[in-house]
Amino acid sequence: MWCLTPCCKALVSLPAYIAIDGLRDGSLVRLLGAFRSPEIGVYALYPSWRFMEAKTRAWIDLLNEEVQPALGEDKAFLGKNC
C-alpha cells in the first residue's frame, strides 16, 4: 500500500501490518487506494507431524489463534477506508 508521511512528505510503499497503526491514528495518509499489491500467504513448514516439537506446535497454534484474526481485523479496516 502506498502512503504519504505528513512529517517528511515522503511517498512510501508499506505492507499493511506496518502501516495500519499509522493509518488508524492519522500519522499516515493512504494514497492510490485502488492499487493493490498481490496478496501473499503465510506458511509454516515443518518436516513431520509425527516428530514435531512442542515449541513448534505452540508457534503454529499462536499463528492460528492470534495472527490470523488480527490480519482479518486489519483487512476489514482497510476495506472500509479505501
Side-chain angles (χ1 to χ4, degrees), residues 24-77:
R24 284 188 173 133
D25 69 19
S27 62
L28 289 177
V29 177
R30 187 170 184 184
L31 301 175
L32 305 172
F35 174 77
R36 298 278 191 258
S37 52
E39 288 191 18
I40 58 170
V42 176
Y43 302 94
L45 301 175
Y46 41 88
S48 170
W49 280 99
R50 187 173 176 191
F51 301 110
M52 184 183 300
E53 293 185 44
K55 61 185 174 184
T56 304
R57 179 77 250 162
W59 176 248
I60 292 170
D61 291 343
L62 176 73
L63 289 175
N64 285 323
E65 295 168 8
E66 301 291 332
V67 176
Q68 192 171 10
L71 291 175
E73 290 173 14
D74 292 350
K75 192 172 185 175
F77 174 81

Side-chain angles (χ1 to χ4, degrees), residues 5-25:
T5 58
C7 63
C8 55
K9 304 295 185 213
L11 181 64
V12 295
S13 177
L14 298 170
Y17 69 92
I18 298 287
I20 195 75
D21 291 335
L23 291 169
R24 284 188 173 133
D25 69 19

